[in-house]
Amino acid sequence: MINPTKCLDATKIFESSFHSVWWVRLNNLSSVLMGEDGMVSDVKNTATKSSPKLKLLPLIALIFYEVSGGPFGVEDSVRAGGGPLLSLLGFLIFPLFWSIPEALVTAELATSFPENGGYVVWISAAFGPFWGFQEGFWKWFSGVMDNALYPVLFLDYLKHSFPIFNRLAARIPALLGITFSLTYLNYRGLHIVGFSAVFLAVFSLFPFVVMSILSIPQIRPRRWLVVDFRKVEWRGYFNSMFWNLNYWDKASTLAGEIEDPSQTFPKALLGAVVLVVFSYLIPLLAGTGALGSNPSEWSDGYFAEVGMLIGGAWLKWWIQAAAAMSNLGLFEAEMSSDAFQLLGMSEIGMLPAIFASRSKYGTPTLSILCSAAGVIFLSWMSFQEILEFLNFLYAIGMLFEFAAFIKLRMKKPDLYRPYRVPLQTFGATVLCLPPSLLLILVMCLASANTYLVSAVVVVIGMVLYPAVIYAKDRKWTQFIIEEPEHPCEDVIEDHSSGSEQHQIIADEASVSLLSALPSFKMEKVSEISSGGVLKLE
């Protein structure tokens, strides 16, 4: 008979050592767990070791495309804001209260948990695997919804010059062709995606540099101050601001693929914040200051018209080409993060092991295919529908991330943090307060349809978790980590010493992890850590 009180105590003890044991055993025993009984193929090990790691510049470009991709799509903020003033103020103020806090939290947690699961790992460490799984499902679903926008936007820019894409007979094959082509590029390797993002970022931003220089003689600063509060659409304005400045945490799902993440990740986030803010403000200052256009004319794609009015037809074509290429970069960055998130969830036992299998290029094949299938399935929805749905789901996930950040500060003050936000717990809480209020505001402004669809997604996630656990218990499919059936029975009753307690839990966790391995593989395991993991010879 299992003593419930003893189980509860054991659970608390186990959770207290969650970070130190789980990640030591994942990082150091992954090679032992590969290649047996179809769990994960030997190809994965070879690809993981040989595939190049992301360096600083490609990572900055990937984060830039996770968040922004350039000023394409910010035009609607001028219309929804009733003029240039609120749009300009928004892109000056929102980064201070939203982007910078989210980037700081991401930098601390991503360097503390440098694994491909990203925010799934943070939430699991703070609140347990159930909520970690929910976070992963919400974020993956919102990411796939976000990615469904970009092939559509790509064709929307092209149809101004090629009207044939207004026809359904041409549009559907084009959408499928774009999705399949970009999916294949993701399959070929993350380093290729990273350097492609660098090229696309340069190509996408350069025409706006030229446009801004050409606009200087025509700029009249008084035009920046125009606002008509009677025409302000607050729901559209806040959704536009939120969508154009979020997703700073998405690159955390690639942390396991980054070279020296503790140093590279914070620098990349800082560089990306500066790049994103300037890529919005400079074109807006140039376009709204040089032209006296009615705010109602500012809608998606209007920067191409601004380019024509300032520089001529050649600049319009250049901006249209840049917009089209930017959407490709956005698609590539989003799909990489979504796919590696599923890989990370598989590596910690939340999804079947097949999601962690890698191609010869080091990319998660099935995870990429799942993300691509989701994009194709959701591409029929309208831009505004997708935007509001993904913002709502993203907001739920971000509230959990801020809560996890604060809880881990209190629960694990001694956790190794290569980068630490230079604030104490109270200051960290204050840092998270303004973005949390913004998240709640965005959720309150959502429509009834958004509440309904989001509720359905949340319910699906809560049903899916026990279904995965049931499949694991019944051994219907292979999982990388097999947890003990009754972990509380393995905990020794004598908890007289805190250090001894940690040693016991570490040893038991290692034994439970290795219990399912064949004996010849257990002999291959040498001492992993002198301070917390059992040595097996």
mmCIF file of all heavy atoms in Angstrom, residues 202-242:
data_model
loop_
_atom_site.group_PDB
_atom_site.id
_atom_site.type_symbol
_atom_site.label_atom_id
_atom_site.label_comp_id
_atom_site.label_asym_id
_atom_site.label_seq_id
_atom_site.Cartn_x
_atom_site.Cartn_y
_atom_site.Cartn_z
ATOM 1 N N VAL A 202 18.403 41.738 -45.020
ATOM 2 C CA VAL A 202 19.101 42.816 -45.734
ATOM 3 C C VAL A 202 18.300 43.244 -46.958
ATOM 4 O O VAL A 202 18.082 44.443 -47.206
ATOM 5 C CB VAL A 202 20.515 42.363 -46.146
ATOM 6 C CG1 VAL A 202 21.180 43.418 -47.035
ATOM 7 C CG2 VAL A 202 21.367 42.115 -44.897
ATOM 8 N N PHE A 203 17.830 42.272 -47.725
ATOM 9 C CA PHE A 203 17.073 42.570 -48.942
ATOM 10 C C PHE A 203 15.762 43.288 -48.615
ATOM 11 O O PHE A 203 15.347 44.205 -49.338
ATOM 12 C CB PHE A 203 16.778 41.276 -49.704
ATOM 13 C CG PHE A 203 16.031 41.479 -50.982
ATOM 14 C CD1 PHE A 203 16.689 41.857 -52.143
ATOM 15 C CD2 PHE A 203 14.648 41.308 -51.038
ATOM 16 C CE1 PHE A 203 15.990 42.053 -53.336
ATOM 17 C CE2 PHE A 203 13.947 41.502 -52.217
ATOM 18 C CZ PHE A 203 14.622 41.881 -53.367
ATOM 19 N N SER A 204 15.100 42.886 -47.505
ATOM 20 C CA SER A 204 13.793 43.447 -47.161
ATOM 21 C C SER A 204 13.884 44.849 -46.586
ATOM 22 O O SER A 204 12.962 45.660 -46.763
ATOM 23 C CB SER A 204 13.082 42.537 -46.157
ATOM 24 O OG SER A 204 12.867 41.251 -46.693
ATOM 25 N N LEU A 205 14.971 45.173 -45.895
ATOM 26 C CA LEU A 205 15.062 46.467 -45.223
ATOM 27 C C LEU A 205 15.739 47.541 -46.072
ATOM 28 O O LEU A 205 15.501 48.735 -45.863
ATOM 29 C CB LEU A 205 15.830 46.302 -43.898
ATOM 30 C CG LEU A 205 15.130 45.473 -42.818
ATOM 31 C CD1 LEU A 205 16.015 45.358 -41.579
ATOM 32 C CD2 LEU A 205 13.789 46.077 -42.440
ATOM 33 N N PHE A 206 16.568 47.131 -47.015
ATOM 34 C CA PHE A 206 17.338 48.119 -47.771
ATOM 35 C C PHE A 206 16.472 49.102 -48.552
ATOM 36 O O PHE A 206 16.777 50.313 -48.601
ATOM 37 C CB PHE A 206 18.334 47.426 -48.696
ATOM 38 C CG PHE A 206 19.425 48.334 -49.168
ATOM 39 C CD1 PHE A 206 20.357 48.861 -48.274
ATOM 40 C CD2 PHE A 206 19.524 48.707 -50.508
ATOM 41 C CE1 PHE A 206 21.361 49.712 -48.701
ATOM 42 C CE2 PHE A 206 20.522 49.559 -50.947
ATOM 43 C CZ PHE A 206 21.441 50.063 -50.041
ATOM 44 N N PRO A 207 15.367 48.670 -49.185
ATOM 45 C CA PRO A 207 14.549 49.670 -49.901
ATOM 46 C C PRO A 207 13.974 50.735 -48.980
ATOM 47 O O PRO A 207 13.748 51.877 -49.416
ATOM 48 C CB PRO A 207 13.438 48.831 -50.548
ATOM 49 C CG PRO A 207 13.426 47.545 -49.817
ATOM 50 C CD PRO A 207 14.841 47.312 -49.398
ATOM 51 N N PHE A 208 13.758 50.407 -47.707
ATOM 52 C CA PHE A 208 13.227 51.408 -46.773
ATOM 53 C C PHE A 208 14.316 52.393 -46.347
ATOM 54 O O PHE A 208 14.020 53.542 -46.020
ATOM 55 C CB PHE A 208 12.609 50.710 -45.560
ATOM 56 C CG PHE A 208 11.343 49.974 -45.897
ATOM 57 C CD1 PHE A 208 11.360 48.603 -46.107
ATOM 58 C CD2 PHE A 208 10.152 50.656 -46.046
ATOM 59 C CE1 PHE A 208 10.210 47.933 -46.446
ATOM 60 C CE2 PHE A 208 8.992 49.988 -46.382
ATOM 61 C CZ PHE A 208 9.024 48.620 -46.589
ATOM 62 N N VAL A 209 15.558 51.937 -46.351
ATOM 63 C CA VAL A 209 16.661 52.862 -46.118
ATOM 64 C C VAL A 209 16.712 53.882 -47.260
ATOM 65 O O VAL A 209 16.833 55.099 -47.033
ATOM 66 C CB VAL A 209 18.001 52.098 -46.013
ATOM 67 C CG1 VAL A 209 19.169 53.086 -45.899
ATOM 68 C CG2 VAL A 209 17.984 51.156 -44.816
ATOM 69 N N VAL A 210 16.610 53.386 -48.487
ATOM 70 C CA VAL A 210 16.616 54.270 -49.656
ATOM 71 C C VAL A 210 15.414 55.215 -49.619
ATOM 72 O O VAL A 210 15.546 56.427 -49.852
ATOM 73 C CB VAL A 210 16.603 53.433 -50.948
ATOM 74 C CG1 VAL A 210 16.465 54.337 -52.178
ATOM 75 C CG2 VAL A 210 17.869 52.592 -51.054
ATOM 76 N N MET A 211 14.217 54.682 -49.318
ATOM 77 C CA MET A 211 13.008 55.499 -49.264
ATOM 78 C C MET A 211 13.136 56.594 -48.201
ATOM 79 O O MET A 211 12.722 57.753 -48.427
ATOM 80 C CB MET A 211 11.799 54.618 -48.951
ATOM 81 C CG MET A 211 10.463 55.362 -48.996
ATOM 82 S SD MET A 211 9.084 54.353 -48.408
ATOM 83 C CE MET A 211 9.325 54.475 -46.619
ATOM 84 N N SER A 212 13.699 56.250 -47.050
ATOM 85 C CA SER A 212 13.838 57.227 -45.958
ATOM 86 C C SER A 212 14.783 58.353 -46.351
ATOM 87 O O SER A 212 14.537 59.529 -46.035
ATOM 88 C CB SER A 212 14.343 56.529 -44.697
ATOM 89 O OG SER A 212 13.429 55.527 -44.286
ATOM 90 N N ILE A 213 15.863 58.030 -47.054
ATOM 91 C CA ILE A 213 16.807 59.066 -47.495
ATOM 92 C C ILE A 213 16.138 59.985 -48.517
ATOM 93 O O ILE A 213 16.258 61.227 -48.443
ATOM 94 C CB ILE A 213 18.075 58.416 -48.085
ATOM 95 C CG1 ILE A 213 18.840 57.680 -46.973
ATOM 96 C CG2 ILE A 213 18.964 59.469 -48.742
ATOM 97 C CD1 ILE A 213 20.008 56.850 -47.483
ATOM 98 N N LEU A 214 15.411 59.390 -49.464
ATOM 99 C CA LEU A 214 14.743 60.188 -50.492
ATOM 100 C C LEU A 214 13.631 61.068 -49.914
ATOM 101 O O LEU A 214 13.292 62.120 -50.488
ATOM 102 C CB LEU A 214 14.156 59.272 -51.571
ATOM 103 C CG LEU A 214 15.155 58.486 -52.432
ATOM 104 C CD1 LEU A 214 14.416 57.554 -53.387
ATOM 105 C CD2 LEU A 214 16.068 59.437 -53.209
ATOM 106 N N SER A 215 13.057 60.665 -48.790
ATOM 107 C CA SER A 215 11.920 61.406 -48.217
ATOM 108 C C SER A 215 12.337 62.638 -47.426
ATOM 109 O O SER A 215 11.488 63.500 -47.135
ATOM 110 C CB SER A 215 11.117 60.481 -47.297
ATOM 111 O OG SER A 215 11.845 60.191 -46.109
ATOM 112 N N ILE A 216 13.605 62.742 -47.062
ATOM 113 C CA ILE A 216 14.046 63.818 -46.148
ATOM 114 C C ILE A 216 13.636 65.209 -46.631
ATOM 115 O O ILE A 216 13.104 66.012 -45.841
ATOM 116 C CB ILE A 216 15.571 63.723 -45.916
ATOM 117 C CG1 ILE A 216 15.890 62.465 -45.102
ATOM 118 C CG2 ILE A 216 16.085 64.972 -45.186
ATOM 119 C CD1 ILE A 216 17.375 62.210 -44.926
ATOM 120 N N PRO A 217 13.839 65.576 -47.905
ATOM 121 C CA PRO A 217 13.435 66.938 -48.327
ATOM 122 C C PRO A 217 11.928 67.188 -48.239
ATOM 123 O O PRO A 217 11.500 68.355 -48.169
ATOM 124 C CB PRO A 217 13.904 66.999 -49.790
ATOM 125 C CG PRO A 217 14.948 65.937 -49.921
ATOM 126 C CD PRO A 217 14.504 64.848 -48.997
ATOM 127 N N GLN A 218 11.124 66.133 -48.247
ATOM 128 C CA GLN A 218 9.664 66.301 -48.265
ATOM 129 C C GLN A 218 9.028 66.233 -46.873
ATOM 130 O O GLN A 218 7.820 66.444 -46.744
ATOM 131 C CB GLN A 218 9.036 65.214 -49.148
ATOM 132 C CG GLN A 218 9.606 65.135 -50.559
ATOM 133 C CD GLN A 218 9.046 63.972 -51.344
ATOM 134 O OE1 GLN A 218 7.831 63.732 -51.327
ATOM 135 N NE2 GLN A 218 9.904 63.221 -52.024
ATOM 136 N N ILE A 219 9.800 65.907 -45.855
ATOM 137 C CA ILE A 219 9.239 65.681 -44.510
ATOM 138 C C ILE A 219 8.769 67.000 -43.889
ATOM 139 O O ILE A 219 9.497 67.997 -43.887
ATOM 140 C CB ILE A 219 10.273 64.983 -43.603
ATOM 141 C CG1 ILE A 219 10.436 63.521 -44.037
ATOM 142 C CG2 ILE A 219 9.839 65.046 -42.139
ATOM 143 C CD1 ILE A 219 11.460 62.753 -43.224
ATOM 144 N N ARG A 220 7.559 66.980 -43.348
ATOM 145 C CA ARG A 220 7.001 68.088 -42.573
ATOM 146 C C ARG A 220 6.624 67.528 -41.201
ATOM 147 O O ARG A 220 5.616 66.804 -41.073
ATOM 148 C CB ARG A 220 5.760 68.673 -43.269
ATOM 149 C CG ARG A 220 6.015 69.177 -44.674
ATOM 150 C CD ARG A 220 6.939 70.393 -44.684
ATOM 151 N NE ARG A 220 7.147 70.877 -46.052
ATOM 152 C CZ ARG A 220 8.151 70.500 -46.829
ATOM 153 N NH1 ARG A 220 9.040 69.606 -46.373
ATOM 154 N NH2 ARG A 220 8.290 70.992 -48.043
ATOM 155 N N PRO A 221 7.380 67.836 -40.149
ATOM 156 C CA PRO A 221 7.163 67.217 -38.826
ATOM 157 C C PRO A 221 5.749 67.367 -38.286
ATOM 158 O O PRO A 221 5.287 66.514 -37.518
ATOM 159 C CB PRO A 221 8.185 67.940 -37.931
ATOM 160 C CG PRO A 221 9.275 68.348 -38.872
ATOM 161 C CD PRO A 221 8.570 68.689 -40.154
ATOM 162 N N ARG A 222 5.032 68.422 -38.661
ATOM 163 C CA ARG A 222 3.679 68.619 -38.132
ATOM 164 C C ARG A 222 2.747 67.472 -38.549
ATOM 165 O O ARG A 222 1.737 67.217 -37.885
ATOM 166 C CB ARG A 222 3.117 69.956 -38.603
ATOM 167 C CG ARG A 222 2.852 70.045 -40.089
ATOM 168 C CD ARG A 222 2.210 71.384 -40.478
ATOM 169 N NE ARG A 222 1.903 71.439 -41.907
ATOM 170 C CZ ARG A 222 2.772 71.801 -42.846
ATOM 171 N NH1 ARG A 222 4.016 72.140 -42.486
ATOM 172 N NH2 ARG A 222 2.420 71.808 -44.123
ATOM 173 N N ARG A 223 3.053 66.790 -39.648
ATOM 174 C CA ARG A 223 2.217 65.684 -40.095
ATOM 175 C C ARG A 223 2.263 64.507 -39.127
ATOM 176 O O ARG A 223 1.345 63.681 -39.109
ATOM 177 C CB ARG A 223 2.656 65.229 -41.496
ATOM 178 C CG ARG A 223 2.389 66.258 -42.582
ATOM 179 C CD ARG A 223 3.043 65.851 -43.898
ATOM 180 N NE ARG A 223 2.756 66.809 -44.970
ATOM 181 C CZ ARG A 223 3.463 66.909 -46.085
ATOM 182 N NH1 ARG A 223 4.516 66.109 -46.294
ATOM 183 N NH2 ARG A 223 3.136 67.802 -47.003
ATOM 184 N N TRP A 224 3.323 64.401 -38.353
ATOM 185 C CA TRP A 224 3.432 63.302 -37.387
ATOM 186 C C TRP A 224 2.444 63.457 -36.234
ATOM 187 O O TRP A 224 2.155 62.498 -35.516
ATOM 188 C CB TRP A 224 4.843 63.235 -36.821
ATOM 189 C CG TRP A 224 5.892 62.907 -37.847
ATOM 190 C CD1 TRP A 224 5.731 62.181 -38.983
ATOM 191 C CD2 TRP A 224 7.269 63.310 -37.833
ATOM 192 N NE1 TRP A 224 6.918 62.092 -39.673
ATOM 193 C CE2 TRP A 224 7.885 62.774 -38.994
ATOM 194 C CE3 TRP A 224 8.053 64.058 -36.953
ATOM 195 C CZ2 TRP A 224 9.241 62.967 -39.291
ATOM 196 C CZ3 TRP A 224 9.406 64.248 -37.238
ATOM 197 C CH2 TRP A 224 9.983 63.710 -38.401
ATOM 198 N N LEU A 225 1.922 64.663 -36.033
ATOM 199 C CA LEU A 225 1.076 64.956 -34.869
ATOM 200 C C LEU A 225 -0.410 64.780 -35.153
ATOM 201 O O LEU A 225 -1.241 65.041 -34.277
ATOM 202 C CB LEU A 225 1.342 66.390 -34.383
ATOM 203 C CG LEU A 225 2.803 66.732 -34.073
ATOM 204 C CD1 LEU A 225 2.937 68.183 -33.639
ATOM 205 C CD2 LEU A 225 3.361 65.805 -32.991
ATOM 206 N N VAL A 226 -0.761 64.341 -36.350
ATOM 207 C CA VAL A 226 -2.171 64.217 -36.734
ATOM 208 C C VAL A 226 -2.802 63.023 -36.030
ATOM 209 O O VAL A 226 -2.261 61.914 -36.027
ATOM 210 C CB VAL A 226 -2.304 64.055 -38.263
ATOM 211 C CG1 VAL A 226 -3.758 63.789 -38.645
ATOM 212 C CG2 VAL A 226 -1.777 65.294 -38.971
ATOM 213 N N VAL A 227 -3.974 63.239 -35.411
ATOM 214 C CA VAL A 227 -4.750 62.159 -34.803
ATOM 215 C C VAL A 227 -6.208 62.596 -34.718
ATOM 216 O O VAL A 227 -6.506 63.743 -34.389
ATOM 217 C CB VAL A 227 -4.214 61.778 -33.406
ATOM 218 C CG1 VAL A 227 -4.270 62.962 -32.458
ATOM 219 C CG2 VAL A 227 -4.977 60.596 -32.835
ATOM 220 N N ASP A 228 -7.107 61.693 -35.047
ATOM 221 C CA ASP A 228 -8.542 61.939 -34.931
ATOM 222 C C ASP A 228 -9.113 60.833 -34.031
ATOM 223 O O ASP A 228 -9.315 59.708 -34.464
ATOM 224 C CB ASP A 228 -9.207 61.898 -36.303
ATOM 225 C CG ASP A 228 -10.682 62.284 -36.245
ATOM 226 O OD1 ASP A 228 -11.235 62.372 -35.122
ATOM 227 O OD2 ASP A 228 -11.301 62.481 -37.321
ATOM 228 N N PHE A 229 -9.335 61.173 -32.760
ATOM 229 C CA PHE A 229 -9.750 60.165 -31.784
ATOM 230 C C PHE A 229 -11.131 59.591 -32.100
ATOM 231 O O PHE A 229 -11.467 58.500 -31.622
ATOM 232 C CB PHE A 229 -9.736 60.775 -30.374
ATOM 233 C CG PHE A 229 -8.351 60.947 -29.823
ATOM 234 C CD1 PHE A 229 -7.742 62.194 -29.817
ATOM 235 C CD2 PHE A 229 -7.651 59.866 -29.315
ATOM 236 C CE1 PHE A 229 -6.461 62.362 -29.310
ATOM 237 C CE2 PHE A 229 -6.365 60.023 -28.815
ATOM 238 C CZ PHE A 229 -5.764 61.279 -28.814
ATOM 239 N N ARG A 230 -11.918 60.319 -32.910
ATOM 240 C CA ARG A 230 -13.222 59.779 -33.277
ATOM 241 C C ARG A 230 -13.096 58.579 -34.210
ATOM 242 O O ARG A 230 -14.025 57.772 -34.317
ATOM 243 C CB ARG A 230 -14.060 60.873 -33.950
ATOM 244 C CG ARG A 230 -14.422 62.054 -33.048
ATOM 245 C CD ARG A 230 -15.037 63.174 -33.848
ATOM 246 N NE ARG A 230 -14.097 63.663 -34.876
ATOM 247 C CZ ARG A 230 -14.412 64.612 -35.766
ATOM 248 N NH1 ARG A 230 -15.629 65.156 -35.764
ATOM 249 N NH2 ARG A 230 -13.508 65.000 -36.655
ATOM 250 N N LYS A 231 -11.963 58.464 -34.905
ATOM 251 C CA LYS A 231 -11.762 57.378 -35.860
ATOM 252 C C LYS A 231 -10.837 56.282 -35.340
ATOM 253 O O LYS A 231 -10.482 55.367 -36.082
ATOM 254 C CB LYS A 231 -11.190 57.947 -37.169
ATOM 255 C CG LYS A 231 -12.141 58.909 -37.871
ATOM 256 C CD LYS A 231 -11.533 59.414 -39.174
ATOM 257 C CE LYS A 231 -12.499 60.367 -39.885
ATOM 258 N NZ LYS A 231 -11.921 60.888 -41.149
ATOM 259 N N VAL A 232 -10.475 56.382 -34.095
ATOM 260 C CA VAL A 232 -9.578 55.368 -33.517
ATOM 261 C C VAL A 232 -10.335 54.062 -33.292
ATOM 262 O O VAL A 232 -11.411 54.062 -32.684
ATOM 263 C CB VAL A 232 -8.959 55.850 -32.189
ATOM 264 C CG1 VAL A 232 -8.128 54.738 -31.558
ATOM 265 C CG2 VAL A 232 -8.095 57.085 -32.429
ATOM 266 N N GLU A 233 -9.797 52.968 -33.790
ATOM 267 C CA GLU A 233 -10.352 51.627 -33.562
ATOM 268 C C GLU A 233 -9.428 50.904 -32.578
ATOM 269 O O GLU A 233 -8.412 50.330 -32.964
ATOM 270 C CB GLU A 233 -10.435 50.854 -34.886
ATOM 271 C CG GLU A 233 -11.310 51.531 -35.932
ATOM 272 C CD GLU A 233 -11.203 50.841 -37.282
ATOM 273 O OE1 GLU A 233 -10.637 49.719 -37.334
ATOM 274 O OE2 GLU A 233 -11.675 51.414 -38.282
ATOM 275 N N TRP A 234 -9.816 50.958 -31.301
ATOM 276 C CA TRP A 234 -8.891 50.505 -30.266
ATOM 277 C C TRP A 234 -8.583 49.016 -30.369
ATOM 278 O O TRP A 234 -7.442 48.598 -30.135
ATOM 279 C CB TRP A 234 -9.460 50.833 -28.885
ATOM 280 C CG TRP A 234 -9.498 52.305 -28.608
ATOM 281 C CD1 TRP A 234 -10.592 53.100 -28.541
ATOM 282 C CD2 TRP A 234 -8.372 53.167 -28.420
ATOM 283 N NE1 TRP A 234 -10.241 54.410 -28.301
ATOM 284 C CE2 TRP A 234 -8.881 54.478 -28.213
ATOM 285 C CE3 TRP A 234 -6.994 52.979 -28.402
ATOM 286 C CZ2 TRP A 234 -8.041 55.571 -27.991
ATOM 287 C CZ3 TRP A 234 -6.152 54.069 -28.177
ATOM 288 C CH2 TRP A 234 -6.683 55.342 -27.976
ATOM 289 N N ARG A 235 -9.561 48.187 -30.726
ATOM 290 C CA ARG A 235 -9.291 46.751 -30.846
ATOM 291 C C ARG A 235 -8.261 46.486 -31.941
ATOM 292 O O ARG A 235 -7.271 45.764 -31.729
ATOM 293 C CB ARG A 235 -10.570 45.970 -31.144
ATOM 294 C CG ARG A 235 -10.316 44.461 -31.305
ATOM 295 C CD ARG A 235 -11.546 43.729 -31.825
ATOM 296 N NE ARG A 235 -12.630 43.715 -30.849
ATOM 297 C CZ ARG A 235 -13.813 43.167 -31.065
ATOM 298 N NH1 ARG A 235 -14.069 42.590 -32.240
ATOM 299 N NH2 ARG A 235 -14.741 43.187 -30.140
ATOM 300 N N GLY A 236 -8.472 47.094 -33.110
ATOM 301 C CA GLY A 236 -7.522 46.910 -34.201
ATOM 302 C C GLY A 236 -6.162 47.503 -33.889
ATOM 303 O O GLY A 236 -5.125 46.927 -34.247
ATOM 304 N N TYR A 237 -6.157 48.648 -33.196
ATOM 305 C CA TYR A 237 -4.890 49.305 -32.861
ATOM 306 C C TYR A 237 -4.053 48.441 -31.929
ATOM 307 O O TYR A 237 -2.865 48.185 -32.187
ATOM 308 C CB TYR A 237 -5.189 50.660 -32.219
ATOM 309 C CG TYR A 237 -3.963 51.381 -31.688
ATOM 310 C CD1 TYR A 237 -3.077 52.005 -32.559
ATOM 311 C CD2 TYR A 237 -3.705 51.426 -30.324
ATOM 312 C CE1 TYR A 237 -1.955 52.672 -32.070
ATOM 313 C CE2 TYR A 237 -2.595 52.089 -29.829
ATOM 314 C CZ TYR A 237 -1.721 52.709 -30.704
ATOM 315 O OH TYR A 237 -0.612 53.356 -30.221
ATOM 316 N N PHE A 238 -4.658 47.963 -30.834
ATOM 317 C CA PHE A 238 -3.890 47.159 -29.870
ATOM 318 C C PHE A 238 -3.498 45.805 -30.454
ATOM 319 O O PHE A 238 -2.401 45.308 -30.188
ATOM 320 C CB PHE A 238 -4.690 46.977 -28.576
ATOM 321 C CG PHE A 238 -4.636 48.156 -27.658
ATOM 322 C CD1 PHE A 238 -5.732 48.984 -27.487
ATOM 323 C CD2 PHE A 238 -3.475 48.454 -26.964
ATOM 324 C CE1 PHE A 238 -5.684 50.079 -26.640
ATOM 325 C CE2 PHE A 238 -3.405 49.555 -26.115
ATOM 326 C CZ PHE A 238 -4.514 50.366 -25.956
ATOM 327 N N ASN A 239 -4.379 45.205 -31.257
ATOM 328 C CA ASN A 239 -4.012 43.933 -31.888
ATOM 329 C C ASN A 239 -2.850 44.117 -32.858
ATOM 330 O O ASN A 239 -1.962 43.257 -32.938
ATOM 331 C CB ASN A 239 -5.220 43.332 -32.620
ATOM 332 C CG ASN A 239 -6.034 42.409 -31.730
ATOM 333 O OD1 ASN A 239 -5.498 41.533 -31.070
ATOM 334 N ND2 ASN A 239 -7.341 42.608 -31.699
ATOM 335 N N SER A 240 -2.858 45.228 -33.592
ATOM 336 C CA SER A 240 -1.768 45.501 -34.521
ATOM 337 C C SER A 240 -0.458 45.712 -33.777
ATOM 338 O O SER A 240 0.591 45.159 -34.158
ATOM 339 C CB SER A 240 -2.092 46.740 -35.368
ATOM 340 O OG SER A 240 -1.036 47.062 -36.228
ATOM 341 N N MET A 241 -0.487 46.520 -32.711
ATOM 342 C CA MET A 241 0.714 46.747 -31.908
ATOM 343 C C MET A 241 1.229 45.439 -31.302
ATOM 344 O O MET A 241 2.424 45.131 -31.341
ATOM 345 C CB MET A 241 0.413 47.753 -30.786
ATOM 346 C CG MET A 241 0.262 49.163 -31.249
ATOM 347 S SD MET A 241 1.850 49.843 -31.790
ATOM 348 C CE MET A 241 1.281 51.175 -32.821
ATOM 349 N N PHE A 242 0.309 44.689 -30.736
ATOM 350 C CA PHE A 242 0.687 43.454 -30.052
ATOM 351 C C PHE A 242 1.299 42.458 -31.032
ATOM 352 O O PHE A 242 2.353 41.865 -30.765
ATOM 353 C CB PHE A 242 -0.557 42.860 -29.386
ATOM 354 C CG PHE A 242 -0.281 41.663 -28.529
ATOM 355 C CD1 PHE A 242 0.429 41.769 -27.352
ATOM 356 C CD2 PHE A 242 -0.745 40.414 -28.899
ATOM 357 C CE1 PHE A 242 0.681 40.668 -26.560
ATOM 358 C CE2 PHE A 242 -0.501 39.303 -28.120
ATOM 359 C CZ PHE A 242 0.220 39.427 -26.948
#
